[in-house]
Amino acid sequence: MDIPRIFNITESAHRIHNPITAEKLATLGAALRLESGTRVLDLGSGSGEMLCTWARDYGIIGTGIDMSQLFSEQAKRRAVELGVAEQVKFIHDDATGYVSDEKVDVAACVGATWIGGEVAGTIELLARSLRTGGLILIGEPYWRQLPPTEEVAKGCLAGSISDFLMLPELLVSFGRLGYDVVEMVLADQDGWDRYEAAKWLTMRRWLEANPNDELAKEVRAQLTSEPERYAAYTREYLGWGVFALMPR
Ligand code: SAH
């Protein structure tokens, strides 16, 4: 079981597979007033940077589940590297329908909301693992500027304009689902650069090491077209944030 191989290639050198930076992850941990011993569940935990650094900096105890074998291995290595292997556990699995045996204080899905079939379903799924009074974290894109045409939305790799909301509407939508938004940390364009531009050097080096790979043509095409596409569309139109929610 794994995610499509192209992501394991283009994001192999990423510690964070989202436009949030290490600094902003720390800001988020501080904003949530995490205490030592806080139990955190993370669906789609990627290479584990959020859980590992929060374990180091705030003493949390965490479980992450991710479908990428490579990212899950990287997460385990990162936990050892940061000296928190006793505090965090990473499971290589499909997180669809995952509910923890023990209730957690923080239930997160940061940039992988398709796991629950979009935002509403993911919130519902996370709520099943959450103790009363706990926090749900959702990482999700929104439109920084509304795309003037469907073509621009597609340039952002969205299926259509209706895939995402503007920030005020996204915040209202959490209310409609019965949740208060109690904190948020938003990515910025520099953070998008760290996520997107970091793929280019990875792709270039991968191509040099794997010229005859079956994906070499696809990676070559992406490396050629991505800088312009990203600068013209995603960087201008797409916002991204992590939203902390509590049921009303
Ligand atoms: N939250 C992490 C990773 C976000 S990228 C971070 O911010 O760094 C999305 C992640 O979801 C990837 O790591 C991918 O492997 C994982 N993923 C995709 N589908 C999944 C599924 N069905 N179950 C578990 N993880 C999944």
Side-chain angles (χ1 to χ4, degrees):
M1 177 208 333
D2 215 322
I3 58 171
R5 187 166 164 248
I6 185 74
F7 300 113
N8 285 326
I9 294 170
T10 60
E11 299 190 27
S12 63
H14 285 55
R15 276 201 181 128
I16 301 170
H17 306 266
N18 268 313
I20 197 164
T21 57
E23 294 74 27
K24 290 205 178 204
L25 271 186
T27 299
L28 177 63
L32 299 177
R33 304 167 205 171
L34 296 172
E35 284 170 17
S36 182
T38 299
R39 289 154 304 171
V40 184
L41 172 69
D42 190 11
L43 303 187
S45 44
S47 299
E49 193 67 3
M50 185 175 84
L51 290 181
C52 290
T53 55
W54 285 1
R56 179 195 60 193
D57 300 340
Y58 306 111
I60 63 113
I61 293 164
T63 302
I65 297 137
D66 199 280
M67 209 158 88
S68 163
Q69 187 168 356
L70 174 69
F71 299 168
S72 302
E73 280 164 12
Q74 289 180 163
K76 286 178 197 166
R77 279 204 296 276
R78 187 70 173 146
V80 172
E81 189 177 58
L82 297 187
V84 296
E86 303 289 294
Q87 285 161 260
V88 292
K89 183 169 84 182
F90 292 100
I91 303 168
H92 171 227
D93 206 351
D94 186 342
T96 307
Y98 185 91
V99 178
S100 62
D101 295 335
E102 211 188 320
K103 301 266 185 201
V104 297
D105 305 296
V106 178
C109 181
V110 178
T113 49
W114 56 86
I115 284 174
E118 301 317 313
V119 174
T122 299
I123 291 175
E124 231 169 82
L125 174 63
L126 293 172
R128 290 166 59 197
S129 297
L130 195 69
R131 72 155 169 88
T132 308
L135 291 167
I136 286 180
L137 298 184
I138 292 284
E140 184 68 3
Y142 58 87
W143 295 122
R144 251 182 98 230
Q145 298 183 59
L146 197 65
T149 63
E150 288 293 341
E151 204 190 324
V152 170
K154 290 205 166 64
C156 299
L157 306 183
S160 82
I161 298 173
S162 64
D163 280 9
F164 304 120
L165 300 169
M166 298 288 287
L167 180 59
E169 283 77 49
L170 179 59
L171 298 173
V172 166
S173 77
F174 293 127
R176 240 184 260 120
L177 294 169
Y179 286 83
D180 285 323
V181 181
V182 296
E183 254 297 356
M184 68 178 188
V185 173
L186 304 181
D188 58 19
Q189 288 173 304
D190 292 336
W192 270 114
D193 295 345
R194 288 308 81 235
Y195 177 48
E196 294 291 342
K199 296 177 192 172
W200 309 338
L201 181 57
T202 303
M203 287 195 277
R204 176 61 200 249
R205 290 196 169 152
W206 182 88
L207 278 169
E208 273 161 25
N210 302 276
N212 300 318
D213 191 281
E214 59 179 11
L215 286 185
K217 254 194 172 157
E218 184 180 339
V219 172
R220 176 68 253 172
Q222 272 204 32
L223 177 57
T224 304
S225 60
E226 271 295 289
E228 185 192 1
R229 183 205 64 77
Y230 164 65
Y233 299 111
T234 304
R235 193 175 198 278
E236 286 310 306
Y237 289 95
L238 214 53
W240 193 91
V242 180
F243 305 92
L245 313 173
M246 294 178 77
R248 281 187 176 151

